[in-house]
Amino acid sequence: MTAGLFRTVLTLLAALTVFAATPVRAEWLKAETEHFVIVGDTSNRAISEYARKVERFHAMLARFLPPERDDGLLQPKLWIYLAEGRDDLQTIWPEVRRGVGGFYSRSDDRIYAVVDVTNEESDYTLFHEYAHHYMFQYHNKAYPGWFVEGFAEYFAPSDMRMGRIRYGLYREGRIYSLQQRNAWVPMDDVLRSRLPPGSAERGAAYYAQAWLLTHYMLGAPERHQQFQGYLTAVARGDDPIDALAANIGRTPDQLGTDIRSYLGRGITVFTLQEALPNATVTVTPLPRSTGAVIWLDLRSARGLGDDGAALVAQAQGIVDRNPDDRLPLVTLAKLQRKSGELAAARTTLERVIALQPEDAEARWLMGSVLTALADEADDDAQRLQLRRQAMTHLGAGYEADPLDYRIYLAMLKNRQEALGFPSDNDVVIAESAFRMAPQLGTTAFEVARLLMRKERYLDAVYVLGPLANNPHGGESLAPVRQLLAEAREKAGLNAIELETAPEAPETEAAEAVAAG
């Protein structure tokens, strides 16, 4: 072999070695299961394993809190986006705090979750927020606020590895808070989901006590059975302290002693003995333009600030480079709509609908844009024509995807000025929106408002109760609580005290309630 040929062979071998050492390139994929849609820039194997893991978590929650509804109707799937690092999160939520492992967002425009797969806390964050989502979506009752948070925290640290599923795990921060005996919140305040203004340590203690109390109640079959009676009583409006005495036979102080003793004996970690189903996963590749626009699409579901024009320009540039791709066009239309560029959004959506007439999201957007244009029109005939066109698009969107709550909300908005509003059909539309997204304040408030106009006060109480107890609601739930008090009074029910617990210090940035 000549020296030149030898060098050529070495060069080829080196090139082959580098190629063999390079991992298979990831690509943007969508994995779909019975309850989730997962989107990420990863491998087929990785996204499939992730999808099966979250399905296992759903199945475990269903084991402890079986879905309440038995009507056989489908429920919307939760979309989960796999981000890689803080830069991705900041593109969606510019003010996101450092170290956050992800977040859950619900608004009139979107309900979704994002997890930073590079953060070791990402599973904990997702499981915590999905436990909230599951409770509202599948078992929507007026549970006490401390249990809403305690349930999420009980299951959030779970180990969901195939073949070794463990739950009842704990975080060191919770144990540390409970060891600060002077920081404990009085148990009657915990049971009423109430905490007077105080230190951060007392806020942390409240959530630690909620977790410990949930762990105690779910830790033994006999307590679990008593606990179900307590939850039922509180959900129907009984005083929490009276419900505790009637169903569990304890005073708040006695219960506090019980859970201190439970903690002192050592927290038991459980291993699930029964096998959970191995979910079927369908994986499909997404267009190459997905990476350029995916986070901008989620950004469009949040309120825009001074960056609105820049975001529209960014989306327009992506569309120019990918003129026939759906997601860039839809994202551009969303941003144009949010920025008040309604005519431009209408033109953009005409392109999308021409490419994909059965695109439910595009039809919802077009219906919303046309309704907004009708609101701005001065001529009555033009306003009526635009509203009719909007309803045609919304009807087409409903046919394409009857599980999209946004379509029902848009129909209600379109109908606000119609003669005879609300008709019985309008109430059915509002009830459908609520059934698809019961965790959203808008759906609950709208249906309750219409139910009360029809003098269906007990139904309004049922709708408003769970949301009014949401520990993440804050001041935004003040109108809900006020309407609930009015509904209870008109239904002849006793008045109840509704107060909201503080945000958990380490999770306050984990749940984002985006502005519509």
Side-chain angles (χ1 to χ4, degrees), residues 245-257:
N247 293 276
I248 301 178
R250 310 299 282 170
T251 66
D253 287 343
Q254 289 171 332
L255 184 62
T257 300

Side-chain angles (χ1 to χ4, degrees), residues 159-484:
D159 181 353
M160 299 307 298
R161 285 177 289 183
M162 178 67 76
R164 188 173 180 264
I165 294 175
R166 297 191 301 158
Y167 60 95
L169 297 160
Y170 57 88
R171 306 184 83 206
E172 294 295 336
R174 296 299 185 210
I175 302 299
Y176 175 81
S177 295
L178 293 168
Q179 290 172 341
Q180 313 307 305
R181 296 182 65 88
N182 292 332
W184 273 53
V185 178
M187 286 304 298
D188 56 345
D189 285 342
V190 173
L191 292 168
R192 296 187 189 280
S193 300
R194 178 177 64 198
L195 179 64
S199 66
E201 287 78 10
R202 285 174 65 81
Y206 171 90
Y207 283 91
Q209 287 170 249
W211 162 78
L212 179 60
L213 183 51
T214 302
H215 206 295
Y216 173 75
M217 290 297 184
L218 299 183
E222 62 275 12
R223 290 197 298 269
H224 194 177
Q225 185 174 3
Q226 292 177 322
F227 187 45
Q228 292 302 316
Y230 165 82
L231 291 176
T232 299
V234 173
R236 68 170 175 253
D238 290 5
D239 181 84
I241 310 304
D242 294 341
L244 179 70
N247 293 276
I248 301 178
R250 310 299 282 170
T251 66
D253 287 343
Q254 289 171 332
L255 184 62
T257 300
D258 292 341
I259 64 173
R260 285 182 188 273
S261 177
Y262 180 73
L263 177 66
R265 294 194 299 270
I267 296 298
T268 302
V269 175
F270 303 97
T271 299
L272 194 65
Q273 299 301 317
E274 61 190 72
L276 296 178
N278 197 25
T280 299
V281 184
T282 302
V283 179
T284 54
L286 297 173
R288 294 183 62 182
S289 60
T290 299
V293 76
I294 189 73
W295 309 128
L296 194 60
D297 176 49
L298 298 184
R299 176 72 179 88
S300 71
R302 300 181 60 80
L304 305 185
D306 296 337
D307 58 349
L311 293 173
V312 170
Q314 183 182 348
Q316 183 65 65
I318 300 171
V319 167
D320 292 342
R321 295 189 296 274
N322 307 274
D324 296 325
D325 283 5
R326 174 200 177 274
L327 187 58
L329 281 167
V330 170
T331 301
L332 174 60
K334 290 176 181 177
L335 290 167
Q336 289 169 330
R337 169 179 170 247
K338 277 289 181 74
S339 299
E341 301 177 20
L342 298 177
R346 181 180 184 178
T347 300
T348 302
L349 289 167
E350 287 171 350
R351 290 175 59 183
V352 180
I353 292 171
L355 291 169
Q356 299 186 32
E358 296 183 357
D359 190 317
E361 187 174 44
R363 294 287 190 171
W364 158 69
L365 278 169
M366 182 65 94
S368 300
V369 167
L370 290 172
T371 298
L373 286 169
D375 290 340
E376 295 181 352
D378 295 327
D379 180 77
D380 288 345
Q382 183 186 19
R383 187 159 50 246
L384 180 59
Q385 181 184 28
L386 286 168
R387 290 192 185 282
R388 286 175 174 172
Q389 291 173 352
M391 195 59 78
T392 297
H393 283 284
L394 294 172
Y398 166 79
E399 291 294 331
D401 184 4
L403 302 183
D404 191 336
Y405 71 93
R406 300 173 298 182
I407 294 171
Y408 299 101
L409 288 179
M411 286 179 174
L412 287 177
K413 185 173 180 59
N414 185 275
R415 287 269 306 156
Q416 291 290 325
E417 297 181 7
L419 290 175
F421 182 86
S423 67
D424 290 342
N425 190 58
D426 292 324
V427 176
V428 171
I429 291 172
E431 288 176 317
S432 298
F434 173 72
R435 193 176 69 80
M436 297 305 166
Q439 63 277 77
L440 188 61
T442 304
T443 62
F445 193 81
E446 285 300 314
V447 69
R449 188 171 62 88
L450 298 190
L451 288 170
M452 291 183 69
R453 288 178 65 174
K454 297 291 186 180
E455 299 184 355
R456 294 171 55 185
Y457 303 121
L458 279 174
D459 290 337
V461 169
Y462 170 80
V463 165
L464 293 169
L467 193 66
N469 287 348
N470 183 2
H472 285 289
E475 291 301 319
S476 67
L477 290 182
V480 172
R481 296 190 176 99
Q482 183 177 355
L483 191 61
L484 174 60

